[in-house]
Amino acid sequence: INLNRLWLHNCQHFNGEIPPEIGGLTNLSWLRLGNNQLSGEIPSEIGQLINLETIQLFNNQLTGEIPESIGNLINLEILELFNNQLTGEIPESIGALINLNNLVLYNNQLTGKIPSEIGNLINLNYLYLNDNQLTGQVPCMICNIADPIPSLFNNQLCPPYPDCISQSNIDSFDTTGCVEYSELQGDFN
């Protein structure tokens, strides 16, 4: 229970699920389980680890949704869940993580809209949401974050885009499921 850091990074044969009992490690500040063969869902009990500053679960085979309880981790600075098979929407509760520096969720199967609450993360230096299945418009509040070029490409995000989104990112969006911007403008005339 007094464990401060759990670092089982890059253990190629480390597999199975993250047990819900992890929620009992309330003094944990680092949870680094990247580059393994972990499967199953991220347990909602992870939200009990309010002293966490770093979560690195990247390069595994994790499935299911990012738990809503992640918003309880107000001391979190790094959240890296990339290269998994996570589904569902990015939880709105992520906007409570005001100390977050890195939010790296690329190469999953995340769907739905980018929550406008992401604009609360003004300390966010790195936002990587690329290579998912995100849809809808990019919230203009995304321009509040510190990252001048958030990585959003290879999604199905629709125009109009906020001014802070670079042209290179816009060019790589699949907009086939979007209402044409010109048609949208016509609805307001």
Side-chain angles (χ1 to χ4, degrees):
I1 196 163
N2 293 319
L3 191 66
N4 182 261
R5 297 180 180 185
L6 182 55
W7 192 339
L8 298 171
H9 178 80
N10 210 22
C11 301
Q12 297 296 323
H13 302 290
F14 190 53
N15 58 27
E17 298 186 4
I18 300 170
E21 290 80 10
I22 201 162
L25 301 176
T26 53
N27 290 319
L28 210 58
S29 61
W30 285 15
L31 178 59
R32 303 179 82 176
L33 303 176
N35 286 329
N36 287 299
Q37 298 179 33
L38 295 173
S39 58
E41 298 187 2
I42 299 170
S44 62
E45 289 82 0
I46 206 165
Q48 298 170 18
L49 304 178
I50 57 172
N51 293 309
L52 272 180
E53 297 172 6
T54 299
I55 297 177
Q56 294 176 312
L57 303 178
F58 56 82
N59 292 337
N60 279 291
Q61 298 161 20
L62 297 171
T63 57
E65 299 185 2
I66 299 170
E68 190 75 31
S69 64
I70 207 105
N72 297 339
L73 307 179
I74 57 172
N75 294 308
L76 203 60
E77 297 175 7
I78 297 173
L79 179 57
E80 297 180 341
L81 305 177
F82 60 90
N83 289 337
N84 278 290
Q85 299 162 28
L86 298 172
T87 56
E89 298 186 4
I90 299 170
E92 293 177 2
S93 65
I94 218 156
L97 306 180
I98 57 172
N99 293 307
L100 208 57
N101 272 303
N102 296 11
L103 179 56
V104 187
L105 305 178
Y106 70 81
N107 200 24
N108 279 289
Q109 298 165 26
L110 299 171
T111 57
K113 296 181 178 182
I114 297 172
S116 60
E117 289 81 3
I118 223 157
N120 298 341
L121 308 179
I122 58 172
N123 296 309
L124 203 57
N125 291 311
Y126 300 99
L127 176 62
Y128 291 88
L129 303 180
N130 53 286
D131 296 293
N132 278 290
Q133 298 166 24
L134 299 171
T135 56
Q137 290 186 318
V138 180
C140 61
M141 287 70 73
I142 204 168
C143 296
N144 294 345
I145 68 173
D147 188 346
I149 308 174
S151 185
L152 306 175
F153 61 88
N154 288 338
N155 282 291
Q156 293 98 44
L157 298 165
C158 297
Y161 304 111
D163 293 339
C164 63
I165 302 301
S166 73
Q167 185 64 42
S168 62
N169 280 347
I170 293 171
D171 288 344
S172 63
F173 286 154
D174 175 6
T175 60
T176 55
C178 298
V179 174
E180 287 298 319
Y181 179 54
S182 58
E183 291 175 21
L184 189 63
Q185 282 184 317
D187 289 344
F188 295 109
N189 292 337

